[in-house]
Amino acid sequence: MQWFDEYCDAAARTDQLTHRPNHVELLACGLFGEVGSLLTELKKERRESEAYPSYRNRVREEAGDLLWYLARLLKILAPRDYLNSTSPSALKVKGNDGVLAAAFSLGKSAGCVLETIHEQSRDNTVAHLQAIWERLQEIVNLLGLDLGEIAQENINKVLNRWPNEKTLTPFFDDNFSEEEQLPRKLLVEFRPTTIGEKELILLRCNGLNFGDRLTDNIDDPDFYRFHDVFHFAYVVFLGWSPVTRHLLRCKRKSNPSLDENEDGARARIVEEAVSAIVFSRAKEMHYYEGIEVVDYDLLKTIEEIVNGYEVERVALWQWETAILQGYRIFRQLRNVNGGKVRLDMVNRELAFEALSYRKPDSPAGGLAVRCQP
């Protein structure tokens, strides 16, 4: 089966576990987990029926993830003859009952794979993997899906997260005039100040304040008052930030549709939602200190939130870069309670600089303006 051979080669190029000493064991755990996820989707459909409209899409995704682990294990354990059967056995039961029966058999075989790998019984492991292959095809066929299409969708999904070559998405405002572009270079001050017992942050550029005076807005202080740095990270590494466009008055008003739909209030709410959700996860992980990856489930959540907006075209690895770099600067701002942040969209760089002034006793006034480099 040519498409499966090509898929196995593509899956091998995207395997992030290759250099682990327990590579096969980790792949087997992943296989078992994906079988469980697929069975969960089948269960949800039985429970919620028409109230679960995303069922078929979720099955396609879970089947693709399962296929990835299956392809890796078959290629490693049986590289010369990894499929004795290229088509599923005759379907004995049709419809939903057939899907459920095949799913039970799939789960049983997945458990046997873990057992035989633990026992280092290669031939038995391959036999169970081949049984999973047959049951997966059976389920897909009963649901009227195409496994070859699912395989291609899965590779596209994996490359979105772990590409062989990283190609940056062009800026969304490249074809607009300078006054409607996000500033390609910018220096922003995060100035600390207090009102009574409240600690606030003022944003300043070219000696003028812009945006709101920010507090943590929570009983347990967590330095969220510095969160605008995340929007600036989106500017640099995604070329996107409706919030920053609003703050700096560089909305694309020459295009009424973009002005309303991409740069408007709803888009800003979406961006703030992304920042808040990521922040809640980051707090549990010491704000990504010493961590070089963002978990895939969080990235998938972001992908779902921004669906329908221009930024949906940005690859997940770019989101990961924006998050990690944004939190790198956030930690520096937090540690010294303020500073300067230099944005460089041209070179895709975000840098921290210390403030060189004495903290004022009270906030200065100012007007929101578009800041020049």
Side-chain angles (χ1 to χ4, degrees), residues 9 26 76 90 96 157 173 176 201 232 239 277 288 296 329:
D9 292 338
L26 292 174
I76 292 169
N96 285 341
K157 167 187 167 180
D173 58 9
F176 287 80
I201 288 296
F232 297 148
I277 289 170
Y288 291 105
Y296 185 65
I329 303 299

Side-chain angles (χ1 to χ4, degrees), residues 94-363:
K94 305 293 185 180
N96 285 341
D97 289 341
V99 172
L100 197 59
F104 270 81
S105 179
L106 187 71
K108 177 182 177 181
S109 295
C112 290
V113 167
L114 290 182
E115 181 180 7
T116 54
I117 284 181
H118 179 69
E119 296 173 348
Q120 298 184 343
S121 176
R122 176 188 169 280
D123 290 343
N124 287 335
T125 300
V126 171
H128 291 304
L129 290 172
Q130 290 169 341
I132 290 174
W133 164 254
E134 291 193 7
R135 297 290 76 75
L136 178 61
Q137 289 189 93
E138 187 174 358
I139 291 171
V140 167
N141 288 347
L142 283 168
L143 294 175
L145 304 175
D146 186 286
L147 198 56
E149 292 179 0
I150 289 174
Q152 185 58 57
E153 291 170 1
N154 177 257
I155 286 299
N156 293 340
K157 167 187 167 180
V158 174
L159 289 176
N160 188 16
R161 175 66 177 83
W162 295 287
N164 297 322
E165 295 183 8
K166 293 184 175 180
T167 303
L168 293 165
T169 304
F171 295 135
F172 298 109
D173 58 9
D174 269 343
N175 296 324
F176 287 80
S177 61
E178 183 179 359
E179 60 268 21
E180 292 188 339
Q181 289 181 344
L182 290 166
R184 294 331 192 218
K185 295 191 177 184
L186 188 69
L187 181 64
V188 178
E189 295 180 21
F190 285 70
R191 280 201 178 188
T193 188
T194 58
I195 296 180
E197 296 181 355
K198 288 186 177 181
E199 294 191 66
L200 299 92
I201 288 296
L202 300 175
L203 296 182
R204 289 177 64 83
C205 180
N206 288 347
L208 296 174
N209 297 346
F210 66 100
D212 297 324
R213 296 174 174 85
L214 300 177
T215 67
D216 288 343
N217 293 126
I218 196 170
D219 289 334
D220 182 21
D222 57 9
F223 300 94
Y224 197 67
R225 58 187 180 274
F226 294 110
H227 86 278
D228 276 324
V229 71
F230 306 138
H231 302 304
F232 297 148
Y234 302 156
V235 168
V236 171
F237 299 104
L238 309 179
W240 172 83
S241 176
V243 170
T244 304
R245 287 192 185 279
H246 176 71
L247 289 174
L248 302 183
R249 297 183 178 179
C250 54
K251 295 175 65 179
R252 291 165 289 184
K253 291 187 174 296
S254 62
N255 185 320
S257 176
L258 290 180
D259 179 39
E260 179 179 357
N261 300 326
E262 299 291 350
D263 301 343
R266 185 174 176 182
R268 296 200 302 272
I269 292 170
V270 166
E271 184 182 354
E272 292 286 12
V274 169
S275 296
I277 289 170
V278 175
F279 194 80
S280 66
R281 183 72 58 87
K283 288 173 67 173
E284 300 173 355
M285 305 178 67
H286 306 290
Y287 304 108
Y288 291 105
E289 187 167 7
I291 297 175
E292 298 180 356
V293 296
V294 175
D295 79 82
Y296 185 65
D297 286 342
L298 178 58
L299 295 174
K300 287 293 293 179
T301 298
I302 293 172
E303 187 176 52
E304 292 174 1
I305 292 173
V306 303
N307 183 45
Y309 292 91
E310 60 187 359
V311 74
E312 71 177 356
R313 302 198 295 271
V314 173
L316 293 185
W317 70 265
Q318 281 185 246
W319 274 104
E320 179 179 58
T321 300
I323 291 168
L324 293 177
Q325 292 300 315
Y327 276 90
R328 176 179 62 84
I329 303 299
F330 170 83
R331 295 193 302 271
Q332 293 175 296
L333 290 168
R334 175 203 61 184
N335 291 344
V336 296
N337 196 31
K340 300 178 184 178
V341 177
R342 188 174 296 277
L343 290 71
D344 185 345
M345 292 181 68
V346 177
N347 297 302
R348 304 282 183 142
E349 294 177 352
L350 196 65
F352 171 83
E353 299 177 12
L355 288 172
S356 57
Y357 76 100
R358 182 177 178 85
K359 176 182 171 182
D361 293 328
S362 61

